[in-house]
Amino acid sequence: MWLINTRTLALELVVDPKDQEYAILSHTWGDGEVTFHDMENLTAARSKPSFGKIKTTCALALDCGYQYAWVDTCCINKESSAELSEAINSMFQWYRDAAVCFAFLADLDTGTAATVPDQLKEVRDSFGASYDMPVPPAPTVPDNLGHCRWFTRGWTLQELIAPSDVEFYDCNWCFIGTKQSLMEELSAITWIDINVLEDVEALPTVPIARRMSWAARRQTTRQEDMAYCLLGIFDVNMPMIYGEGPKAFLRLQEEIVKENNDLSLFAWCSEREEENGDDGGTDSSIEKFRGLLARSPKEFARCRHLERSRAHSSAQEGEFVLTNSGFRLNTHLAMSQLCEYILNVNCLYRVTKEDDQVSTPSLGIPLTKTPSGFVRVRPHTRLLTLDPTAWVGRTTPVYIHKHLTRAESTCTVFPGTEQSFAFVFETGSRRWAWQSDDAIARPAALWDDFQQLFMTAQDTRFTGIVEFSLTHK
């Protein structure tokens, strides 16, 4: 890990950063950022517009008694793919281990004159009269704090959560407050739980979908970084492959699945209902089907009120397996009035009514069966139910696609289900009864037990067998 010596401003390689106390900068990138190679010539680096951030960060760190500081723009050799990958996978840990984090809000001006506290004059003089130093705390929280670009960037999410001590400064390096003093404002702006802001160790107790919702309104310059910036939030690691585009977020979810059995990962909704046919349109691009994995954090925007469910945990706590074709899990699928299967994602949706009464219905997502496994249907919708018996029943292996192509998602009828053969048995007498639950169908993959039909996929030579028993009344 490369660190800046706060006295000399030179980069120094530290093998084990845990042996050193250091300050760390959190900021948004702008024009003229100082790079790793710029730091080889400090005279040239000082001429860059953003060098002032580095100088002031080092001055603040030195005043706090820290020999080192870290700034992402100049402390990572981005020309080395190995070093860049190590940095991205380690960044959450680096911010968590930092003694203090300085959050610089470049587009916030509190209107406070940039005077220098007496206790910092000596430090300023040692660096030169051009240094900008922080002023005493502002009397009130700025009304436009939540409008800062810093709250819209992907990387700054972990930079707020990971460090225990964060100090906020405006564009003139005027002190605004700390993570502790601004706790309620920060939670309201970012949707992050207060207990997580208080203690990063509480992070694993938050459902995966709710953690994803914190990133739903954030952006990154590179599409892949929207996945890479969340590695620390979910405590996973993966190699960096710039150029893979949206596949990065799919890989992130696959890595999360390997370490968790939290089904809330599948509780996302596609971004806009009108894009999924709610307006009654017949646009061929409308998505009617999806796999279990989301395409981006934006699809978790409606998951900020999810809570873990305990009522059905016994049926869902077992492992579920990710294969090369999708997910395999043992569960009981409920049935909806729309002839759809409903998968319990084992979480509750917290609803606060006008009279402040709180309701927490269970949440499920609709599925439909295909010859190759289940797929998600009407991906903009979810089912809420207060029925405690909705998902009580015998569990069976269920296979669900993890991802569909655009063609599969927008087709009117999912491939393989174009033609179906319904099985109807007429006894000719009311004295006989057929218990369909006891029926055994072959091939099982083509049998839809709920609708009592075979999906023949337009196969004119299809042969199916149904074994059942008759009971005499």
Side-chain angles (χ1 to χ4, degrees), residues 456 458-464:
T456 59
Q458 296 183 337
D459 185 356
T460 58
R461 297 178 298 174
F462 172 80
T463 300

Side-chain angles (χ1 to χ4, degrees), residues 142-415:
D143 293 335
N144 57 343
L145 179 64
H147 298 156
C148 292
R149 182 169 174 262
W150 189 86
F151 292 105
T152 70
R153 308 307 296 170
W155 290 105
T156 55
L157 176 61
Q158 67 176 359
E159 294 166 13
L160 172 61
I161 293 174
S164 58
D165 186 6
V166 182
E167 298 178 1
F168 291 87
Y169 296 86
D170 75 354
C171 63
N172 297 311
W173 285 96
C174 300
F175 181 71
I176 302 168
T178 67
K179 183 177 178 179
Q180 288 71 28
S181 68
L182 300 171
M183 192 76 68
E184 292 186 3
E185 290 83 0
L186 294 173
S187 179
I189 294 169
T190 63
W191 297 353
I192 301 172
D193 301 36
I194 285 183
N195 65 322
V196 173
L197 292 175
E198 291 175 335
D199 184 4
V200 68
E201 297 300 326
L203 194 57
T205 67
V206 180
I208 288 174
R210 196 158 88 225
R211 280 183 266 172
M212 282 287 189
S213 74
W214 302 340
R217 299 176 298 171
R218 293 175 179 260
Q219 299 175 336
T220 54
T221 302
R222 298 290 297 269
Q223 187 176 16
E224 298 87 352
D225 283 339
M226 202 62 248
Y228 303 157
C229 72
L230 299 176
L231 293 178
I233 303 295
F234 298 102
D235 194 21
V236 296
N237 299 98
M238 64 188 222
M240 307 298 103
I241 309 177
Y242 283 103
E244 66 176 330
K247 290 182 181 179
F249 190 67
L250 294 177
R251 283 202 301 126
L252 170 66
Q253 294 170 90
E254 292 175 359
E255 291 300 322
I256 293 173
V257 166
K258 294 177 183 178
E259 303 293 333
N260 295 272
N261 64 348
D262 183 354
L263 294 179
S264 77
L265 177 63
F266 311 134
W268 53 268
C269 288
S270 53
E271 292 179 59
R272 298 179 60 188
E273 294 187 8
E274 57 267 32
E275 292 179 354
N276 291 278
D278 278 13
D279 58 356
T282 57
D283 187 347
S284 61
S285 66
I286 292 173
E287 289 192 332
K288 300 176 179 65
F289 308 100
R290 287 280 296 273
L292 269 186
L293 298 181
R295 292 206 176 105
S296 81
K298 293 180 181 179
E299 297 189 319
F300 289 89
R302 292 162 62 186
C303 295
R304 58 179 295 201
H305 298 299
L306 292 190
E307 300 177 356
R308 292 187 185 275
S309 172
R310 301 302 177 191
H312 307 292
S313 59
S314 60
Q316 300 288 359
E317 284 181 350
E319 66 177 5
F320 58 93
V321 181
L322 174 62
T323 70
N324 58 355
S325 60
F327 294 91
R328 183 178 74 246
L329 63 158
N330 289 318
T331 187
H332 174 76
L333 297 178
M335 304 298 177
S336 76
Q337 296 178 348
L338 296 177
C339 298
E340 295 170 343
Y341 295 86
I342 306 297
L343 173 67
N344 176 22
V345 293
N346 201 30
C347 55
L348 307 175
Y349 190 83
R350 186 179 182 87
V351 179
T352 303
K353 302 178 182 179
E354 293 182 359
D355 57 359
D356 292 333
Q357 293 294 316
V358 176
S359 174
T360 53
S362 298
L363 188 145
I365 57 174
L367 306 175
T368 190
K369 190 171 185 179
T370 76
S372 57
F374 285 89
V375 298
R376 185 163 176 179
V377 65
R378 297 190 299 120
H380 62 282
T381 62
R382 299 179 296 190
L383 177 79
L384 299 177
T385 179
L386 290 170
D387 182 2
T389 65
W391 285 285
V392 175
R394 184 183 62 183
T395 62
T396 57
V398 175
Y399 299 84
I400 310 176
H401 286 261
K402 65 178 180 179
H403 179 64
L404 301 181
T405 65
R406 286 286 184 180
E408 291 172 327
S409 296
T410 57
C411 60
T412 303
V413 179
F414 195 82

Side-chain angles (χ1 to χ4, degrees), residues 34-225:
V34 178
T35 67
F36 178 83
H37 292 292
D38 289 335
M39 294 296 285
E40 295 175 354
N41 184 349
L42 284 178
T43 301
R46 290 177 189 274
S47 64
K48 287 205 162 187
S50 294
F51 190 76
K53 291 188 290 189
I54 298 174
K55 290 194 302 180
T56 308
T57 297
C58 290
L60 286 170
L62 187 60
D63 178 64
C64 295
Y66 304 127
Q67 183 180 354
Y68 293 106
W70 189 87
V71 180
D72 58 352
T73 55
C74 63
C75 291
I76 303 173
N77 182 7
K78 299 176 182 63
E79 294 184 3
S80 168
S81 57
E83 187 169 329
L84 178 61
S85 180
E86 178 187 1
I88 291 177
N89 278 278
S90 305
M91 202 167 296
F92 188 89
Q93 183 71 41
W94 289 350
Y95 274 88
R96 183 167 59 182
D97 291 343
V100 62
C101 174
F102 304 131
F104 177 60
L105 310 183
D107 54 351
L108 178 66
D109 188 350
T110 59
T112 307
T115 58
V116 183
D118 292 338
Q119 66 269 27
L120 296 179
K121 283 185 177 180
E122 182 178 351
V123 177
R124 178 181 179 180
D125 292 339
S126 67
F127 281 91
S130 62
Y131 245 106
D132 296 323
M133 301 302 296
V135 301
T140 58
V141 178
D143 293 335
N144 57 343
L145 179 64
H147 298 156
C148 292
R149 182 169 174 262
W150 189 86
F151 292 105
T152 70
R153 308 307 296 170
W155 290 105
T156 55
L157 176 61
Q158 67 176 359
E159 294 166 13
L160 172 61
I161 293 174
S164 58
D165 186 6
V166 182
E167 298 178 1
F168 291 87
Y169 296 86
D170 75 354
C171 63
N172 297 311
W173 285 96
C174 300
F175 181 71
I176 302 168
T178 67
K179 183 177 178 179
Q180 288 71 28
S181 68
L182 300 171
M183 192 76 68
E184 292 186 3
E185 290 83 0
L186 294 173
S187 179
I189 294 169
T190 63
W191 297 353
I192 301 172
D193 301 36
I194 285 183
N195 65 322
V196 173
L197 292 175
E198 291 175 335
D199 184 4
V200 68
E201 297 300 326
L203 194 57
T205 67
V206 180
I208 288 174
R210 196 158 88 225
R211 280 183 266 172
M212 282 287 189
S213 74
W214 302 340
R217 299 176 298 171
R218 293 175 179 260
Q219 299 175 336
T220 54
T221 302
R222 298 290 297 269
Q223 187 176 16
E224 298 87 352
D225 283 339

